[in-house]
Amino acid sequence: MSSIYAKDPTGPLENRWEKHLFNLSLIAPQNRKKHKVIVIGTGLAGASLCATLGEAGYQVSSFCFQDSPRRAHSIAAQGGINSTKNYQNDGDSVWRLFYDTIKGGDFRARESNVYRLAQLSSNIIDQAVAQGVPFAREYSGYLANRSFGGTQVSRTFYARGQTGQQLLLGAYQAHSRQLENDNVTHQSRSEMLELIMVDDQARGVVVRDLVSGEVSAHTADCVVLCTGGYSNVFYLSTNAKGCNTSATWRAYKQGAYFANPSFTQIHPTCIPPTGENQSKLTLMSESLRNDGRIWAPKNSADCTKNPADIKEEDRDYFLERMYPAFANLAPRDVASRAAKVICDKGLGVGSKIQGKRLGVYLDFSAIIEKLGLDAVAEKYGNLFDMYSSITGENPYQTPMKIYPAPHYTMGGLWVDYNLMTTVEGLFAGGEANFSDHGANRLGASALMQGLADGYFILPKTVANYLAKNTLTEVDNDHPQVVQSLKAVKDRIQKFMKAPQPKHSPEYFHQKLGGILWEACGMSREADRLKQAIVDIAELETQFWQNIKVTGVDNDLNQTLERAGRVVDFIELGKLMCQDALMREESCGAHARVEYLTEGGEAKRDDNEFSFVGAWEFMSEQPKLHKEQLNYEFIEPTVRNYK
Amino acid sequence: MNFTLHIWRQKNINIAGDFVTYKIDDIDEDTSFLEMLDQLNEQLIANDEDCIVFDYDCREGICGACSLVINGYPHGDKKATTTCQLYMRDYKHQTELWVEPFRANSFPVIKDLTVDRSSFDSIIQSGGYISVHTGAAPDANAVLVDKPSADEAFNSATCIGCGACVAVCPNASATLYVAAKITHLSLLPQGKIEEKARAQKMLNQMQSEGFGSCSNHRHCERVCPKGISVSNISKMNQVLAWS
Ligand SMILES: Cc1cc2nc3c(=O)[nH]c(=O)nc-3n(C[C@H](O)[C@H](O)[C@H](O)COP(=O)(O)OP(=O)(O)OC[C@H]3O[C@@H](n4cnc5c(N)ncnc54)[C@H](O)[C@@H]3O)c2cc1C
Ligand code: SF4
Ligand code: FES
């Protein structure tokens, strides 16, 4: 084991970013167009970065796998984005958002980074409003706010239930503006399949054109990955179907450390699965918890009844009972585990899948009575519509059914204060990096982080890297480029021609998801994790023997795309279990059953585990490196939401 | 539930396509339309056949990736829904289904049910934005926006860029899509200043991408999954008329 360092500045927290900015090298405007940057991914983080770098005058090439950058998974974010504007004058401040984020992350995030994030949060809202993002407003014309999961101040800005859509369209339009100005080029329907390394520096990528199947190399001075999170490792999750780990996993295999892979967030308010052929789960925004009350029947005999027929005294408002101070707004992990405990006891509601009813009620009758139907529709209309079109039930009349589902991954590529990975010249932004959320992320903080990375941090730190390094041109017949291309082509042939083709990529993905959900989901335990590692290794062997991809490779072939993503997920799944096994404590969303209090809350072990676990790829066993976390400004406390 | 599916198969833009008939049985009514196609594709893999290609990503009606014309209707005949939000319980009474790609000159077929909608991106690139520098914006509350305008701007801004309006239009016009963006930005003080130039650039681009013009058939409004109203087109015309 060895140590790694974030290289964050020292001194007073408030001045660190400013001081750092002053120390970063700049490039004169006339020299910028000589530098080329590749950005993979054009979600919030990637699109905002391309727009900013393009505007500054750098040459930028961006890629995404969807048919348009406007369709990145960021589009699906519903609830909102945090900012320390304190427009509501309810005592919010940079310090409070910083404190809430560190505490919410259960003291497993880096102070300097989180403070910077809180500082930048205010500028993000200014930027978005100037771009025409139609945030919700009061009748006075001022911006409206709401309170969001786990906080006691109203600091969340929102655009009805479509905040991610509106923010992404803002960033997409800013990106489009640079495309029109020719500073930026963009290729959609293109998937990065390999990172090109030259002299230990990231110098390019191998990309497959998903329409023609053509594989090509692209070189640059540096590479930034903004490729999103990996919740789809669980097969069923709230993420878009295409979300994958391939870009970050390829980078890991080229030497970038992967940090805290087991820190994955399970979201408490999703629509429960109804059958075995389900392809994804849908999130019901957490904002619903502001006004909805969560309950389950007290008696198992009531579980199949119409909820309207269950008497008030037979309902268990379990979050209100267990956590009176935060009640229905208890943090995501706490709320998720509480729901799991209820359903494991046989008190769940909804369809029975493999012997269990996985659902609890989220009830709006009280608020409808108080505010009236119209006011509730104004606030949540599109979410209610979405729920009823999926389930065929009317949430204005019958309580919703909800159950936890994988939603967000705090883990990701390890990055230093400059958001550079352990590979020189390879940066990571947005959900793809591990940086700011520790062991658990607060609601409405991912959009904020993606945009802080893309609009404000990476443009400065990437420029600094370009200024400090003299990089010679890498052309397409460089041996490293040729070799990377060949490796990708060989791998594609392995998918196309397995020794005994038998099962589709979906088959392997579902198997993997099943293993991980049981062993590395909401609760984890040494024995189950050890078994899962064995099972996943076996699945991997089987994959290479039996993967079946029909069609041809020089064509639009979605089965081939899936095969590549699934096998990367399989390898990542194993590392997640290893990481969860190594971390003999519970913290945030990582709940090891051996380390929970009687009340089911996480028992952290700060003496042994106050570090970021960053894994280095090795052909035999991955090697763990530790970034020790030092709390200079906040005293780690026991999280108590009672 | 059992279905007979006639699905458009086309190798690429240069080779003529045709309907191929498939049968699929034992579909649960809570299965989504796309999950039904997933299951069909699993059958095709089992039979060593190339899968049917169709676009999707979020599967919750917000990314705009899914398309498909089902029994003649873009996104099916259910109002205000995307294809990915259709459930087989919606098809209890129609067990024979014809599934085709969105058809328009400016949306060439790539393969099977997948079309190229990059012409939509080009329209935004031509001017569908507010020209603000990143990093130098004034305080967000410095310019107030009255709530009715903000709400209306939001309604226009909810367009997901799916292209159903084009697919249904006899002229294959993208006017509703263009008008929604122009209206969104024009309703906000931040976007007002450039409005006329923006509208002209976007409409010119629409034409050069090969989309037709609007002749008030209003089919677009009926198929739009986000309920974008044709009043956006009137609003756009006002913007263009002011000099
Ligand atoms: C349903 C839902 C609701 C949410 N709601 C909220 C909320 O209310 N507030 C909040 O703060 N957060 C929310 N989140 C989380 C938040 O949306 C995401 O964390 C955030 O949008 C991620 O942005 P990103 O730019 O990092 O990645 P993404 O938006 O996922 O973009 C990834 C990009 O990378 C590209 N890409 C990926 N792999 C490759 C590859 N191999 N080759 C080429 N391109 C590739 C994709 O094409 C895409 O352009 C929500 C998440 C979900 C699932
Ligand atoms: S206006 Fe409606 S139909 Fe047309 S692209 Fe937008 S959302 Fe789709
Ligand atoms: S798949 Fe995203 S809108 Fe249908």
Side-chain angles (χ1 to χ4, degrees):
Chain A
M1 228 162 328
S2 69
S3 300
I4 47 173
Y5 301 96
K7 292 176 274 180
D8 49 337
T10 53
L13 203 48
E14 312 79 76
N15 303 340
R16 286 185 180 181
W17 175 233
E18 215 167 313
K19 181 172 138 194
H20 191 71
L21 273 179
F22 179 73
N23 290 327
L24 291 176
S25 301
L26 304 173
I27 297 184
Q30 70 275 17
N31 290 332
R32 292 180 191 158
K33 61 176 172 300
K34 294 181 200 147
H35 294 280
K36 185 170 170 196
V37 181
I38 286 177
V39 179
I40 306 294
T42 43
L44 278 178
S48 58
L49 174 62
C50 291
T52 316
L53 282 177
E55 187 176 87
Y58 298 95
Q59 268 187 67
V60 182
S61 296
S62 58
F63 300 85
C64 76
F65 69 75
Q66 289 91 351
D67 71 328
S68 163
R70 68 177 293 147
R71 310 207 200 282
H73 169 60
S74 294
I75 201 96
Q78 300 172 349
I81 176 167
N82 286 332
S83 170
T84 58
K85 286 288 191 191
N86 194 25
Y87 284 158
Q88 305 308 321
N89 194 23
D90 55 3
D92 199 14
S93 62
V94 170
W95 185 269
R96 189 177 291 278
L97 177 56
F98 159 67
Y99 180 82
D100 287 350
T101 306
I102 293 271
K103 181 182 174 216
D106 218 1
F107 304 93
R108 291 293 173 264
R110 202 186 278 157
E111 282 184 327
S112 309
N113 282 54
V114 175
Y115 195 86
R116 170 176 67 185
L117 176 64
Q119 282 175 308
L120 293 173
S121 67
S122 158
N123 207 337
I124 294 171
I125 302 302
D126 300 340
Q127 189 64 43
V129 167
Q131 287 170 342
V133 171
F135 284 123
R137 291 187 179 258
E138 314 278 2
Y139 280 101
S140 58
Y142 287 96
L143 288 155
N145 291 107
R146 59 185 171 204
S147 145
F148 209 68
T151 59
Q152 289 159 316
V153 289
S154 288
R155 62 160 73 103
T156 304
F157 292 77
Y158 62 100
R160 221 165 293 168
Q162 289 161 236
T163 317
Q165 179 195 32
Q166 295 308 317
L167 287 169
L168 181 63
L169 292 179
Y172 160 73
Q173 286 164 201
H175 181 205
S176 297
R177 177 168 165 253
Q178 297 308 319
L179 287 167
E180 181 69 2
N181 297 342
D182 289 335
N183 294 341
V184 181
T185 58
H186 174 79
Q187 279 171 250
S188 292
R189 295 200 195 266
S190 300
E191 182 164 16
M192 169 191 157
L193 295 177
E194 192 55 282
L195 179 70
I196 299 174
M197 299 284 298
V198 176
D199 301 331
D200 294 327
Q201 287 170 323
R203 293 302 302 274
V205 291
V206 178
V207 168
R208 181 167 178 272
D209 177 328
L210 298 179
V211 174
S212 66
E214 193 195 333
V215 173
S216 59
H218 303 260
T219 57
D221 294 342
C222 70
V223 177
V224 190
L225 301 184
C226 297
T227 51
Y230 54 87
S231 292
N232 278 347
V233 71
F234 290 101
Y235 185 68
L236 284 183
S237 87
T238 63
N239 284 16
K241 287 293 282 176
C243 293
N244 67 88
T245 188
S246 291
T248 47
W249 197 252
R250 298 287 108 208
Y252 165 71
K253 296 198 91 171
Q254 294 290 349
Y257 296 179
F258 209 112
N260 301 335
S262 70
F263 286 177
T264 56
Q265 182 174 75
I266 312 282
H267 198 291
T269 54
C270 304
I271 301 179
T274 56
E276 316 233 327
N277 288 318
Q278 192 137 344
S279 64
K280 75 156 281 167
L281 296 171
T282 303
L283 170 77
M284 287 283 96
S285 170
E286 182 150 45
S287 61
L288 293 169
R289 288 206 277 147
N290 286 336
D291 290 314
R293 295 179 73 197
I294 295 178
W295 62 275
K298 282 184 182 162
N299 312 308
S300 58
D302 287 348
C303 290
T304 49
K305 275 194 193 157
N306 178 344
D309 298 337
I310 304 174
K311 289 199 222 86
E312 191 59 31
E313 63 267 29
D314 291 331
R315 301 176 175 193
D316 178 13
Y317 294 89
F318 55 92
L319 289 177
E320 297 172 20
R321 169 172 59 79
M322 291 157 80
Y323 308 100
F326 282 78
N328 294 299
L329 292 176
R332 292 178 173 181
D333 57 317
V334 174
S336 296
R337 276 200 301 280
K340 181 175 193 291
V341 168
I342 296 286
C343 296
D344 286 350
K345 277 195 204 150
L347 295 168
V349 296
S351 325
K352 210 171 204 173
I353 300 177
Q354 293 167 350
K356 264 189 208 163
R357 290 180 205 285
L358 303 177
V360 295
Y361 290 120
L362 175 60
D363 196 331
F364 294 91
S365 51
I367 193 78
I368 291 174
E369 204 161 291
K370 189 168 146 209
L371 301 180
L373 212 64
D374 289 348
V376 173
E378 154 90 23
K379 235 171 158 176
Y380 302 117
N382 76 315
L383 296 171
F384 279 34
D385 291 350
M386 184 156 119
Y387 182 85
S388 72
S389 88
I390 293 176
T391 59
E393 289 178 1
N394 179 354
Y396 292 101
Q397 287 164 4
T398 314
M400 288 184 178
K401 289 195 267 297
I402 54 162
Y403 196 65
H407 176 61
Y408 181 87
T409 52
M410 283 73 70
L413 292 180
W414 185 88
V415 288
D416 64 12
Y417 190 67
N418 284 335
L419 305 185
M420 189 162 87
T421 69
T422 51
V423 167
E424 283 278 303
L426 179 71
F427 295 79
E431 195 173 339
N433 73 29
F434 90 105
S435 64
D436 297 344
H437 309 291
N440 204 6
R441 174 177 71 80
L442 293 183
S445 283
L447 301 179
M448 168 175 80
Q449 182 228 324
L451 289 176
D453 290 359
Y455 280 132
F456 302 114
I457 304 171
L458 283 164
K460 304 288 192 282
T461 59
V462 165
N464 169 67
Y465 177 81
L466 297 173
K468 289 220 163 103
N469 289 277
T470 327
L471 299 159
T472 51
E473 181 108 4
V474 176
D475 42 42
N476 272 6
D477 46 18
H478 190 286
Q480 272 317 112
V481 176
V482 175
Q483 201 218 312
S484 305
L485 266 173
K486 182 172 181 309
V488 168
K489 289 180 182 160
D490 290 350
R491 194 158 178 266
I492 290 175
Q493 288 317 308
K494 280 177 77 181
F495 298 132
M496 299 303 301
K497 300 196 178 95
Q500 289 148 330
K502 201 156 132 198
H503 297 301
S504 69
E506 291 300 280
Y507 168 90
F508 290 101
H509 200 171
Q510 279 174 339
K511 289 255 176 258
L512 174 70
I515 298 172
L516 283 175
W517 179 246
E518 286 308 320
C520 204
M522 255 182 292
S523 69
R524 293 119 184 234
E525 196 175 2
D527 288 344
R528 278 188 287 144
L529 287 165
K530 285 182 193 152
Q531 186 57 44
I533 293 169
V534 174
D535 294 347
I536 295 173
E538 208 166 286
L539 192 68
E540 190 184 347
T541 315
Q542 225 190 67
F543 178 94
W544 289 114
Q545 277 296 314
N546 297 138
I547 181 65
K548 183 171 179 184
V549 177
T550 53
V552 292
D553 65 307
N554 56 350
D555 191 9
L556 176 51
N557 186 336
Q558 294 173 320
T559 318
L560 175 60
E561 291 164 29
R562 261 180 237 137
R565 292 173 193 163
V566 169
V567 74
D568 288 335
F569 276 138
I570 292 178
E571 292 183 15
L572 166 66
K574 200 160 82 185
L575 188 69
M576 285 168 62
C577 294
Q578 284 165 326
D579 185 56
L581 185 62
M582 172 280 290
R583 196 168 276 280
E584 294 177 330
E585 64 162 351
S586 292
C587 58
H590 169 66
R592 281 281 298 265
V593 291
E594 305 95 317
Y595 310 99
L596 289 179
T597 63
E598 295 267 301
E601 292 203 69
K603 265 203 277 191
R604 263 190 359 248
D605 181 349
D606 289 341
N607 288 331
E608 293 295 323
F609 290 97
S610 183
F611 63 81
V612 175
W615 297 89
E616 179 184 6
F617 172 71
M618 297 270 164
S619 50
E620 288 298 311
Q621 279 297 321
K623 183 173 167 199
L624 180 66
H625 301 266
K626 291 182 179 176
E627 179 199 335
Q628 202 61 42
L629 293 168
N630 302 314
Y631 288 93
E632 294 173 68
F633 301 93
I634 297 187
E635 174 86 26
T637 54
V638 175
R639 230 171 39 134
N640 183 353
Y641 288 97
K642 291 248 170 193
Chain B
M1 300 167 82
N2 304 334
F3 293 93
T4 304
L5 303 166
H6 308 284
I7 294 184
W8 186 262
R9 305 285 325 241
Q10 181 171 352
K11 188 92 193 74
N12 59 47
I13 188 71
N14 301 315
I15 302 175
D18 205 352
F19 286 102
V20 177
T21 302
Y22 302 92
K23 296 237 178 246
I24 186 154
D25 297 339
D26 295 329
I27 295 290
D28 191 86
E29 62 169 35
D30 286 330
T31 302
S32 75
F33 195 92
L34 297 184
E35 283 165 359
M36 185 268 296
L37 291 183
D38 290 342
Q39 288 180 44
L40 177 61
N41 271 338
E42 289 298 300
Q43 284 182 20
L44 294 183
I45 296 178
N47 297 334
D48 302 327
E49 287 174 58
D50 194 11
C51 289
I52 299 157
V53 181
F54 55 96
D55 271 320
Y56 59 84
D57 200 25
C58 72
R59 294 206 174 185
E60 48 188 61
I62 193 73
C63 76
C66 61
S67 48
L68 306 189
V69 174
I70 303 163
N71 284 0
Y73 296 95
H75 293 306
D77 62 356
K78 195 169 175 195
K79 252 193 90 109
T81 5
T82 55
T83 295
C84 62
Q85 295 171 298
L86 297 172
Y87 285 80
M88 296 322 288
R89 59 175 169 267
D90 304 328
Y91 288 92
K92 269 190 192 137
H93 307 295
Q94 304 173 56
T95 52
E96 186 161 10
L97 302 171
W98 299 79
V99 186
E100 303 167 70
F102 280 2
R103 296 191 192 275
N105 274 341
S106 311
F107 290 168
V109 170
I110 296 176
K111 184 178 171 185
D112 298 339
L113 303 170
T114 311
V115 298
D116 180 352
R117 288 169 288 189
S118 53
S119 46
F120 265 19
D121 288 329
S122 307
I123 292 175
I124 299 295
Q125 285 156 27
S126 73
Y129 45 75
I130 291 174
S131 304
V132 55
H133 291 296
T134 52
D139 183 84
N141 261 346
V143 181
L144 302 186
V145 183
D146 64 291
K147 185 168 156 49
S149 298
D151 287 350
E152 226 186 301
F154 174 85
N155 288 338
S156 301
T158 56
C159 163
I160 58 174
C162 63
C165 47
V166 175
V168 79
C169 176
N171 306 337
S173 173
T175 307
L176 190 63
Y177 167 79
V178 172
K181 185 48 61 190
I182 290 171
T183 305
H184 156 213
L185 296 176
S186 283
L187 279 166
L188 300 169
Q190 291 86 352
K192 189 104 189 115
I193 296 165
E194 299 171 276
E195 66 175 353
K196 190 156 182 185
R198 174 188 306 122
Q200 274 161 350
K201 283 194 268 186
M202 290 178 75
L203 277 175
N204 288 344
Q205 189 67 32
M206 176 180 106
Q207 270 165 11
S208 58
E209 295 290 336
F211 292 100
S213 319
C214 174
S215 50
N216 294 318
H217 290 277
R218 307 180 62 160
H219 296 326
C220 50
E221 176 179 74
R222 260 167 271 150
V223 298
C224 174
K226 296 294 135 179
I228 305 286
S229 136
V230 290
S231 66
N232 283 273
I233 299 179
S234 326
K235 172 85 191 161
M236 176 183 78
N237 288 334
Q238 280 169 24
V239 169
L240 285 163
W242 287 334
S243 51

